[in-house]
Amino acid sequence: MIGAHTARALLDLGHEVVVTTHRRTAVPSFLADRVTVEPLDVTNRDAFLALGDRHAITDIVHLAGSIPQNDPVAYFRTDTTGLLNALDAARTWNVRRFAVASSLGVYIGRPETPWHEDLDLPTTDLPHLIIAYKKAVEPLTTHSLQDTKVQPVILRIGTIWGPLVDPESPFFHIPPYINAALRGETPQPPPRQRRRRRLLRPRRRQSHSPPDNHQNPQPHHLQRFQRPPLHQPGLRRSPPAPHPEPPPRPRPRRPANPPPRHNPPNPRHRLHPHLRHRQGSSRLHNLAHHQPPLARATDAT
């Protein structure tokens, strides 16, 4: 479906389009008599390169893929072989651009919303084989075209809408609901994903023993921050260990022949002359002491 709508968009832009098919040879009605259809198994390298002898191909949009079955290795081998053959054809034909389908699922593990292309791709457990393969497609494509003039284009496709979508696809839950309602059936809930089941598992009982690298499932950089609880039900709490007393300070020794102490001068000697009399024993004594001699003689007579 994505390839059919991509071909129609390229036709609307005025390009000539060659469409490759493997099992189905029929094309949608909006592509009839407008595109050239070539049967091709993308895992066949010789057949892939032979297309360049019949058509002047300037750009490649690689959207071919298979559905995973019980053997994940067989799925990865089939899709990786088709990708490598398409990259080999792009290098041989010296095309301008090579576009390949990735997935929006490569952002799984990022807490930011919405996701955008400036985010670094996280390292996390992926819920599906297709998303795991699409995440590996990006470095394989960019590294394969590094020393060439071919420009790689990564298409991180989010979801698929349109009249050609698979109504029973496990990746889109709304179309199956609508189709079931139109048939008069009761819609079935979507299958629970593996990641969701993991989140619903009961937590293990945490041991109150100190953290151990062999028993604690958490990473080593988090184990050192774990501490046993301060109070455990049913257990007696031991008193805290007493703090050790600091050692006594050594008393300073007095020298055998201490130097003579310097007696500071009497602060009275530094007073102003007019204020010295205030340091005496009484005011009357000071007044009598400072009276002139003539006044003394008059009082005596």
Side-chain angles (χ1 to χ4, degrees):
M1 176 207 165
I2 300 178
H5 287 285
T6 303
R8 181 175 63 175
L10 293 174
L11 289 171
D12 295 340
L13 295 174
H15 298 282
E16 296 181 5
V17 180
V18 178
V19 178
T20 61
T21 61
H22 180 41
R23 295 184 177 88
R24 295 179 299 179
T25 57
V27 296
S29 58
F30 56 81
L31 295 181
D33 301 330
R34 300 183 63 189
V35 298
T36 302
V37 181
E38 287 279 356
L40 175 66
D41 182 4
V42 293
T43 60
N44 189 341
R45 180 179 180 274
D46 296 335
F48 208 132
L49 294 178
L51 290 176
D53 301 334
R54 299 189 297 270
H55 306 279
I57 300 176
T58 58
D59 303 275
I60 297 177
V61 182
H62 182 65
L63 303 174
S66 60
I67 303 299
Q69 301 299 328
N70 297 329
D71 188 2
V73 177
Y75 162 72
F76 289 141
R77 181 183 295 110
T78 301
D79 282 26
T80 305
T81 303
L83 172 64
L84 297 179
N85 291 338
L87 290 170
D88 197 4
R91 295 168 60 95
T92 303
W93 301 336
N94 195 21
V95 299
R96 296 178 302 176
R97 295 183 182 88
F98 180 87
V100 63
S102 181
S103 173
L104 196 68
V106 298
Y107 296 111
I108 291 177
R110 299 292 311 199
E112 299 88 353
T113 53
W115 292 333
H116 52 85
E117 294 183 355
D118 295 333
L119 295 175
D120 295 331
L121 300 186
T123 303
T124 183
D125 185 18
L126 299 177
H128 201 272
L129 293 177
I130 294 181
I131 300 178
Y133 169 73
K134 295 300 183 182
K135 195 170 184 178
V137 162
E138 299 189 7
L140 289 176
T141 301
T142 54
H143 284 276
S144 299
L145 302 177
Q146 267 187 354
D147 300 330
T148 64
K149 297 181 180 180
V150 183
Q151 178 185 359
V153 180
I154 306 299
L155 307 174
R156 291 173 179 170
I157 302 172
T159 185
I160 304 172
W161 296 100
L164 300 180
V165 69
D166 184 6
E168 303 301 331
S169 174
F171 301 103
F172 319 109
H173 306 310
I174 296 180
Y177 272 61
I178 297 177
N179 284 275
L182 293 177
R183 293 193 301 263
E185 303 174 358
T186 302
Q188 298 296 326
R192 185 177 297 176
Q193 298 292 337
R194 181 179 61 180
R195 185 177 180 85
R196 185 176 300 177
R197 287 200 303 268
R198 182 179 302 174
L199 295 177
L200 294 179
R201 289 177 182 175
R203 294 184 178 181
R204 298 178 180 179
R205 293 188 61 182
Q206 297 181 357
S207 174
H208 298 304
S209 59
D212 190 303
N213 293 337
H214 301 284
Q215 299 179 1
N216 200 323
Q218 291 195 2
H220 63 88
H221 65 278
L222 296 179
Q223 294 178 8
R224 59 179 180 178
F225 294 104
Q226 294 182 353
R227 296 180 180 177
L230 297 178
H231 177 65
Q232 303 175 12
L235 298 178
R236 293 186 179 181
R237 194 156 138 193
S238 58
H243 295 283
E245 297 183 359
R249 296 182 179 181
R251 298 182 62 180
R253 294 184 178 182
R254 188 172 181 180
N257 298 324
R261 295 184 178 180
H262 176 68
N263 297 326
N266 191 353
R268 180 180 177 184
H269 298 165
R270 295 196 300 268
L271 294 176
H272 194 272
H274 297 287
L275 299 178
R276 290 177 184 173
H277 65 278
R278 298 184 181 272
Q279 301 294 333
S281 59
S282 64
R283 181 178 178 82
L284 295 177
H285 173 76
N286 293 334
L287 291 177
H289 180 72
H290 290 285
Q291 285 181 355
L294 181 59
R296 292 181 183 177
T298 304
D299 293 339
T301 57

